[in-house]
Amino acid sequence: MSEIIKVKSLLSRVEVKEWKSVFAGIVFAFLWSSASTATKIGLVSAQPFVISIFRFLIAGSIMLFVSHIVLGNRMPVKREWIQISIYGFLNITFYLGLYVIAMQQVSAGLGSLAVATNPVFIAMMSAFWFSHRIKFKNILSLLLCFMGVVMAAYPLLQNSYATPFGIIVLLISMIAYSLGTIYYSRVNWNGLNILTINGWQTILGGVFLLPALCATYESDKNNFDTSFWTSVCWLAIPVSIGAVQLWLYLLKSNPIKASYWLFLCPIFGFLIAHFIMKEPITFYTVFGVILVISGLYIVQKKSKS
């Protein structure tokens, strides 16, 4: 009888863990895909680099306060500062700096769709970088995702919801993010806490962006109104902190299953943009999302085998 009770208790704990993962995955996908719409709202009131600097300052300060003051984690030392600086330049300055520029000229839904293609870029770039053989599945997944983005963008280009320049900058920003991810995964962090790494790379990435802000700043184009602060606070706290921590939780629980939650991002992204920004959802949108999800499924299926 005691063995039966133990088995039931174990099954109950497993079930609770599964439900936690499902809840975390859904919330992650919603928060991650909401970044595009939040950015579009902020751009109504301020220049892109102004939004970015405030976002990074708030998010980085909160993470460092929790990491060093609340949790008492150690500071980075010696070479770790260089590693964090490189990661911050790729993941914050380059990626998010270009991303916020692109969002001036593409729809929020399209921005979410492009972000969801990152696993494909990472898989392809890893193969090139480390001289791995590129399989047919990798090429097929990249083609499907590319076709999906083009398909979803087609009616948006016609209706001024996107420009070719915006799409190009958006894709370059995805490449920058993929480079940052690969770099992060290959570096030895010597047990440095993830919150410390994220906090300092966010702050340093913002510092590296300051010259661009100074060169482009125009005071009459920035209104620090409700829309601005709503956008910045949402991007800083729920997205930069909340979504990232949920993603790390999902990766720790099951890296393969975690990647599948990216499939929800394009769906949530277009729905959020439709209801908040009144962006259109057409046959092209639906078919483009299906192509991207198919491409993501192929590359994730490959990683499982």
Side-chain angles (χ1 to χ4, degrees), residues 65-291:
F65 176 80
V66 173
S67 181
H68 295 309
I69 306 301
V70 178
L71 300 179
N73 293 318
R74 69 175 179 86
M75 291 282 289
V77 295
K78 299 178 180 177
R79 185 174 175 79
E80 291 171 352
W81 283 112
I82 298 175
Q83 294 173 180
I84 291 174
S85 297
I86 294 172
Y87 182 45
F89 179 76
L90 292 171
N91 198 49
I92 299 295
T93 311
F94 198 11
Y95 163 51
L96 290 177
L98 289 177
Y99 181 78
V100 75
I101 292 174
M103 291 311 300
Q104 289 181 299
Q105 301 191 39
V106 301
S107 71
L110 190 60
S112 297
L113 186 63
V115 169
T117 65
N118 275 322
V120 182
F121 281 102
I122 291 169
M124 291 293 292
M125 292 173 67
S126 294
F128 276 113
W129 200 332
F130 304 113
S131 300
H132 296 158
R133 186 168 63 90
I134 300 176
K135 295 183 179 180
F136 174 73
K137 286 184 178 181
N138 294 86
I139 298 173
L140 179 60
S141 63
L142 183 64
L143 288 174
L144 285 173
C145 286
F146 180 76
M147 289 167 58
V149 171
V150 172
M151 180 69 71
Y154 177 70
L156 301 176
L157 288 168
Q158 291 183 316
N159 298 314
S160 300
Y161 281 95
T163 66
F165 175 77
I167 294 173
I168 291 171
V169 173
L170 186 63
L171 291 175
I172 294 173
S173 74
M174 297 304 109
I175 293 173
Y177 176 83
S178 301
L179 282 171
T181 301
I182 294 170
Y183 177 80
Y184 175 81
S185 66
R186 302 294 295 186
V187 165
N188 180 11
W189 293 101
N190 299 315
L192 193 63
N193 186 271
I194 186 66
L195 205 57
T196 301
I197 297 171
N198 279 336
W200 282 113
Q201 67 113 3
T202 301
I203 291 292
L204 290 174
V207 169
F208 297 150
L209 203 57
L210 282 175
L213 171 64
C214 294
T216 60
Y217 184 77
E218 298 178 48
S219 59
D220 61 325
K221 291 185 178 180
N222 297 283
N223 299 309
F224 300 98
D225 53 16
T226 303
S227 294
F228 172 82
W229 288 112
T230 300
S231 169
V232 167
C233 290
W234 182 268
L235 289 169
I237 301 172
V239 177
S240 290
I241 299 176
V244 171
Q245 294 306 118
L246 286 171
W247 177 244
L248 294 174
Y249 167 78
L250 292 167
L251 285 175
K252 187 177 181 180
S253 298
N254 190 318
I256 294 173
K257 285 185 178 180
S259 61
Y260 282 86
W261 290 109
L262 291 169
F263 294 173
L264 279 180
C265 289
I267 299 171
F268 273 134
F270 274 105
L271 288 175
I272 293 169
H274 176 69
F275 286 109
I276 295 180
M277 305 298 295
K278 308 303 179 186
E279 292 182 2
I281 294 180
T282 65
F283 165 78
Y284 291 96
T285 306
V286 175
F287 193 64
V289 169
I290 291 173
L291 285 175

Side-chain angles (χ1 to χ4, degrees), residues 6-22 249 253 257:
K6 287 180 180 178
V7 170
K8 285 184 177 180
S9 176
L10 179 61
L11 289 174
S12 177
R13 287 198 296 270
V14 170
E15 188 176 337
V16 169
K17 186 177 180 180
E18 284 294 321
W19 277 110
K20 279 184 178 180
S21 295
V22 170
Y249 167 78
S253 298
K257 285 185 178 180

